[in-house]
Amino acid sequence: MYRQGDVLIVPVADGAVPSHVPDAPREPRDGRGRLVLALGEVTGHAHAVVGRGELVREPGPYGPFLLHLPGGGRVVHEEHAAITLPQGWFRVIRQREYVPGSVRLVAD
């Protein structure tokens, strides 16, 4: 497992990738050509993947992402050290927090 701030990145075996993923829509890249895993609402900083890859959002209110890196990749952020990931599939999970009466994504 890999963690960068409030983002957890967990390897997923090829055989465990859900069957709908090959046909699911891909998340677009931002204006800088990055795959954004989490965008800081306060700072504007982003946990993002640079280089080749695809990002698929899973359904649900906090739908995690499935990240595919056919040749490996790097996760970058303005305030954290970069993380190098091997090739493969990963589940990207945002940290959540409890507030009375609900659960929400941690705001950056």
Side-chain angles (χ1 to χ4, degrees), residues 12-27 53-59 64-69 88-91:
V12 176
D14 288 342
V17 174
S19 61
H20 73 276
V21 169
D23 299 321
R26 297 329 196 217
E27 290 290 307
E54 297 178 314
L55 192 60
V56 177
R57 182 183 298 269
E58 288 288 286
F65 289 112
L66 283 171
L67 172 65
H68 184 229
L69 299 174
W89 284 93
F90 302 88
R91 186 169 304 280

Side-chain angles (χ1 to χ4, degrees), residues 27-40 45-50 55 57 65 92:
E27 290 290 307
R29 291 180 177 268
D30 71 357
R32 295 169 55 185
R34 307 173 302 170
L35 293 170
V36 175
L37 308 179
L39 180 62
H45 296 163
H47 299 275
V49 173
V50 293
L55 192 60
R57 182 183 298 269
F65 289 112
V92 179

Side-chain angles (χ1 to χ4, degrees), residues 30-106:
D30 71 357
R32 295 169 55 185
R34 307 173 302 170
L35 293 170
V36 175
L37 308 179
L39 180 62
E41 297 84 358
V42 176
T43 64
H45 296 163
H47 299 275
V49 173
V50 293
R52 291 182 41 218
E54 297 178 314
L55 192 60
V56 177
R57 182 183 298 269
E58 288 288 286
Y62 305 110
F65 289 112
L66 283 171
L67 172 65
H68 184 229
L69 299 174
R74 291 185 60 210
V75 181
V76 298
H77 186 277
E78 292 84 351
E79 296 176 342
H80 299 285
I83 297 173
T84 300
L85 299 174
Q87 72 179 42
W89 284 93
F90 302 88
R91 186 169 304 280
V92 179
I93 303 166
R94 296 270 317 268
Q95 183 175 344
R96 296 179 294 268
E97 63 187 355
Y98 174 78
V99 292
S102 69
V103 175
R104 67 179 180 202
L105 293 173
V106 171

